């Protein structure tokens, strides 16, 4: 038995099917789904547009019924991406982004001296929230600086100014300067800096440095502190006996390499074998027999005049007293004092 109601209803459907046209598959709408999705719909059948996760519907109907005309009504519905909260500013850092809409990902970097507390990337989720949470740029800190053995902290300074960081934490760019204890020499840079990695640059080393006792120079003497040993920065002074000249500095210092900054010696002065000559000494013409009555000191230099016989002119050649030896230039001719008619080379016009 067919119920009269059902019969009537199916008759109605037959009528509509005959009288109306079918609707086509509905137009695609970006980021929306249609249920149910079919190739065609009988008039009276209903469809529902719903926005995909991450998109919100705006400006239109979501539910449509296939009309007898078989033409779907104009659909003004739009599915627009959800927008996450503005995240374009990261204090002490920067954000790379195109938009803050689902499903975009943005990325973060911090300025030097700051580190990312959080993740480098965040995604705008279907719910319109950032995931994971937005990071912050936190200032880099270094632990209180380690003190090298046998050293003391002489200055600690923040890069910003004079304020010293007090014990606990130092910031990026802060510096600390060390001094070695007496007798200790520093190897490495005396200054360490808090780096962007939150560690300090390489620590210097302080090593005890001894120098041997300096030996007495021949024809001279050396003075140094009367101690059981001589250390880094200790000093010794040298002197020479009469007629001897110090070759090197008067004062030497024990260097960080365990040797002396110099090893001065005493050099003998020269007796002048020439009896009479005009020479140039320190830019002036002098009589050698008068100027160097007591000999020439080690290192002193004079220029002798020589003659060029062909051209009848004069030129000079140097002679230097080196540890007791003064070599007279070969071209120099000493005249007997009786040969008064001869012109001295120093009186001849220069070549
Ligand atoms: C870090 O950011 C804060 C707030 O924007 C600002 O006042 C400060 O100057 C910044 N520090 C540096 C070193 O840029
Ligand atoms: C880093 O982030 C965590 C969690 O957000 C917070 O508890 C902590 O205080 C932050 N540290 C700094 C130095 O900002
Ligand atoms: C830094 O210098 C300012 C002005 O010269 C001074 O007032 C301040 O006390 C100094 N701070 C420290 C920690 O020395
Ligand atoms: C020591 O380090 C500081 C900064 O850390 C630098 O400016 C300086 O040139 C360095 N000195 C030497 C001798 O390397
Ligand atoms: C400091 O840390 C960085 C990064 O971890 C590392 O490359 C560097 O060698 C460290 N520097 C020192 C002096 O330990
Ligand atoms: C001291 O020793 C260092 C390292 O061995 C060397 O470079 C330097 O020349 C020496 N100095 C002297 C004055 O001998």
């Amino acid at each position: 038995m067919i119920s009269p109601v059902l019969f009537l209803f199916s008759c109605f459907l037959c009528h509509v099917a005959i009288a109306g046209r079918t609707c086509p598959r509905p137009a695609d709408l970006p980021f929306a789904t249609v249920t149910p999705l079919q190739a065609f719909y009988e008039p009276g059948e209903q469809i529902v547009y719903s926005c995909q996760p991450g998109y919100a519907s705006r400006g239109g109907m979501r539910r449509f019924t296939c009309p007898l005309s078989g033409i779907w009504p104009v659909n003004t519905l739009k599915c627009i991406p959800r927008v996450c909260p503005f995240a374009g500013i990261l204090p002490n850092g920067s954000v790379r982004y195109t938009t803050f809409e689902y499903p975009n990902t943005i990325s973060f970097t911090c300025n030097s001296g700051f580190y990312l507390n959080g993740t480098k990337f965040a995604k705008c989720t279907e719910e319109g929230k950032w995931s994971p949470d937005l990071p912050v740029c936190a200032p880099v800190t270094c632990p209180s600086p380690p003190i090298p053995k046998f050293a003391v902290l002489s200055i600690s300074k923040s890069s910003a100014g004079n304020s010293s960081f007090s014990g606990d934490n130092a910031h990026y760019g802060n510096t600390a300067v060390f001094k070695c204890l007496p007798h200790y020499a520093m190897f490495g840079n005396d200054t360490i800096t808090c780096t962007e990695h939150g560690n300090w640059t390489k620590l210097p080393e302080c090593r005890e440095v001894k120098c041997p006792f300096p030996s007495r120079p021949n024809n001279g003497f050396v003075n140094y502190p009367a101690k059981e040993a001589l250390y880094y920065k200790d000093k010794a002074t040298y002197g020479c006996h009469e007629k001897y000249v110090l070759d090197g500095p008067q004062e030497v210092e024990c260097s960080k390499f365990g040797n002396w900054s110099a090893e001065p010696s005493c050099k003998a002065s020269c007796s002048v074998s020439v009896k009479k000559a005009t020479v140039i000494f320190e830019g002036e013409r002098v009589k050698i027999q008068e100027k160097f009555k007591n000999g020439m000191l080690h290192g002193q230099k004079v220029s002798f005049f020589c003659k060029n016989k062909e051209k009848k002119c004069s030129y000079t050649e140097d002679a230097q007293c080196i540890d007791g030896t003064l070599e007279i230039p070969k071209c120099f001719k000493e005249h007997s004092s009786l040969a008064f008619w001869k012109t001295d080379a120093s009186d001849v016009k220069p070549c």
Side-chain angles (χ1 to χ4, degrees):
M1 268 294 277
I2 297 168
S3 109
V5 173
L6 193 58
F7 174 77
L8 275 176
F9 182 66
S10 52
C11 228
F12 167 74
L13 280 185
C14 294
H15 174 80
V16 168
I18 292 157
R21 295 151 178 267
T22 56
C23 288
R25 182 194 158 106
D28 274 341
L29 188 65
F31 312 118
T33 48
V34 175
T35 44
L37 187 62
Q38 293 164 197
F40 58 86
Y41 300 82
E42 298 298 339
E45 272 193 282
Q46 279 197 337
I47 57 168
V48 174
Y49 277 93
S50 47
C51 288
Q52 288 166 6
Y55 296 86
S57 60
R58 178 157 314 162
M61 297 259 299
R62 305 180 58 170
R63 187 178 294 271
F64 297 96
T65 306
C66 176
L68 284 174
S69 64
I71 299 166
W72 292 110
V74 173
N75 186 356
T76 54
L77 176 73
K78 279 206 169 75
C79 286
I80 56 162
R82 285 183 183 275
V83 181
C84 279
F86 177 79
I89 291 174
L90 180 63
N92 302 306
S94 56
V95 187
R96 278 175 70 101
Y97 62 89
T98 48
T99 71
F100 303 122
E101 291 170 350
Y102 174 81
N104 285 342
T105 295
I106 60 178
S107 64
F108 312 97
T109 49
C110 291
N111 298 343
S112 64
F114 293 85
Y115 73 94
L116 209 55
N117 186 10
T119 58
K120 203 165 163 33
F121 299 98
K123 190 179 182 341
C124 183
T125 64
E126 291 169 6
E127 291 78 40
K129 290 188 184 129
W130 292 111
S131 174
D133 285 344
L134 297 177
V136 295
C137 288
V140 168
T141 58
C142 285
S144 63
I147 311 278
K149 262 190 181 172
F150 313 117
V152 290
L153 189 63
S154 75
I155 321 167
S156 58
K157 246 228 294 245
S158 74
S159 56
N162 55 356
S163 64
S164 63
F165 48 88
S166 51
D168 33 325
N169 267 338
H171 285 109
Y172 168 66
N174 289 173
T175 58
V177 183
F178 300 109
K179 267 208 304 241
C180 291
L181 299 176
H183 301 173
Y184 289 82
M186 184 161 293
F187 292 84
N189 197 324
D190 67 344
T191 305
I192 60 169
T193 307
C194 175
T195 72
E196 59 184 359
H197 307 296
N199 55 11
W200 292 95
T201 53
K202 202 169 182 303
L203 215 56
E205 256 184 80
C206 291
R207 295 186 211 138
E208 190 186 54
V209 172
K210 276 187 198 178
C211 278
F213 290 106
S215 46
R216 189 181 70 80
N218 288 333
N219 305 302
F221 51 87
V222 58
N223 293 320
Y224 48 83
K227 299 196 293 186
E228 77 291 353
L230 296 178
Y231 294 96
Y232 177 57
K233 291 253 182 225
D234 278 343
K235 289 174 176 57
T237 53
Y238 283 81
C240 292
H241 299 150
E242 220 180 320
K243 303 241 178 180
Y244 287 84
V245 174
L246 200 59
D247 186 28
Q250 208 177 350
E251 188 179 77
V252 298
E253 195 179 78
C254 175
S255 82
K256 67 198 277 187
F257 305 110
N259 55 11
W260 293 94
S261 57
E263 280 180 39
S265 56
C266 292
K267 295 287 164 63
S269 49
C270 302
S271 58
V272 179
S273 58
V274 176
K275 293 203 176 58
K276 187 167 170 264
T278 298
V279 294
I280 298 174
F281 174 65
E282 291 176 346
E284 284 182 21
R285 293 167 79 102
V286 299
K287 293 199 184 328
I288 199 165
Q289 65 277 16
E290 287 171 13
K291 185 79 190 174
F292 299 106
K293 272 203 290 283
N294 303 320
M296 265 172 89
L297 294 177
H298 168 76
Q300 283 183 326
K301 198 195 269 182
V302 294
S303 304
F304 281 88
F305 286 94
C306 299
K307 264 190 215 168
N308 180 326
K309 291 232 169 67
E310 287 86 56
K311 294 188 182 163
K312 293 191 166 27
C313 60
S314 72
Y315 59 96
T316 60
E317 247 179 53
D318 292 348
Q320 190 174 22
C321 169
I322 307 282
D323 199 11
T325 307
L326 179 71
E327 270 192 49
I328 309 295
K330 295 218 163 44
C331 65
F332 173 75
K333 293 283 179 309
E334 190 173 12
H335 301 301
S336 148
S337 51
L338 299 175
F340 55 85
W341 62 90
K342 290 200 169 165
T343 322
D344 193 81
S346 63
D347 296 327
V348 177
K349 72 172 165 55
C351 292

